[in-house]
Amino acid sequence: MLNENPRVIFLKEVVDVTSIAFAQKLVEKFRGGRIYIPNKMPHEKHELRQAFSTEELEVLIENFGGNQIDVPRDLTNRAAERRRKILELRSKNMRICDIYKSADCTYRWVQETLRRERERRKAEENQLNLFENERKKQSKY
């Protein structure tokens, strides 16, 4: 599920052939989006030409031309911090459409986080029930 489209490139792959500085510029300009990398140098007014030097674009085109790049919202992984905030806000009965704005993430991320939390709690409850049933079986007297 992580990379459903073989023509979609992730930022780590870009960093491997360019640099962290280039990745940072990519995130600043296209934060949270998906951009298409053309097979040849784009015209002067193209947003990629405006954002990057010719040398940087040549490397990008040579390695990823014809593909798309999923650009994250940030270079650092703040998933645990966002998860904590989402669960905290939901415990205060906030709506999903308000949570995603406060937690600085997408609506879908909030939905997925809440779904995973429900599954985790259900699994935990099932585990506790299993031990309780075993304890009752063993103590017949």
Side-chain angles (χ1 to χ4, degrees), residues 42-50:
H43 59 81
E44 293 293 325
K45 293 185 179 181
H46 192 280
E47 61 186 347
L48 288 173
R49 285 292 289 270
Q50 300 295 316

Side-chain angles (χ1 to χ4, degrees), residues 96 106-116 118:
I96 293 175
T106 64
Y107 187 91
R108 287 180 57 196
W109 180 264
V110 173
Q111 287 181 312
E112 181 64 16
T113 300
L114 295 174
R115 183 191 66 77
R116 287 180 181 181
R118 284 190 303 274

Side-chain angles (χ1 to χ4, degrees), residues 1-135:
M1 182 178 149
L2 188 61
N3 191 355
E4 296 145 357
N5 184 346
R7 296 179 57 84
V8 175
I9 308 303
F10 291 102
L11 197 60
K12 183 188 178 322
E13 297 170 73
V14 175
V15 171
D16 289 343
V17 297
T18 59
S19 68
I20 293 290
F22 179 85
Q24 183 64 43
K25 285 192 333 188
L26 197 62
V27 168
E28 288 170 5
K29 179 74 176 163
F30 303 101
R31 186 178 313 269
R34 179 178 281 183
I35 59 170
Y36 174 76
I37 307 303
N39 286 315
K40 60 183 182 177
M41 188 62 69
H43 59 81
E44 293 293 325
K45 293 185 179 181
H46 192 280
E47 61 186 347
L48 288 173
R49 285 292 289 270
Q50 300 295 316
F52 305 106
S53 71
T54 303
E55 295 80 24
E56 291 171 325
L57 274 179
E58 285 173 350
V59 171
L60 198 62
I61 290 168
E62 181 181 321
N63 289 282
F64 305 111
N67 293 296
Q68 296 176 357
I69 298 176
D70 273 339
V71 182
R73 293 173 54 89
D74 200 338
L75 281 180
T76 58
N77 186 352
R78 297 181 3 242
E81 176 186 326
R82 284 194 311 262
R83 179 183 179 280
R84 181 196 50 76
K85 187 164 189 168
I86 289 167
L87 296 176
E88 174 187 319
L89 294 173
R90 189 60 167 185
S91 72
K92 295 176 181 175
N93 295 320
M94 280 185 75
R95 299 176 324 160
I96 293 175
C97 59
D98 296 326
I99 293 172
Y100 86 90
K101 294 172 189 171
S102 297
D104 190 32
C105 59
T106 64
Y107 187 91
R108 287 180 57 196
W109 180 264
V110 173
Q111 287 181 312
E112 181 64 16
T113 300
L114 295 174
R115 183 191 66 77
R116 287 180 181 181
E117 180 63 13
R118 284 190 303 274
E119 286 179 358
R120 187 192 65 75
R121 287 184 180 178
K122 186 176 180 180
E124 190 175 273
E125 183 180 305
N126 289 341
Q127 189 72 26
L128 290 173
N129 288 340
L130 177 67
F131 287 123
E132 184 64 28
N133 292 340
E134 283 298 314
R135 192 175 58 83

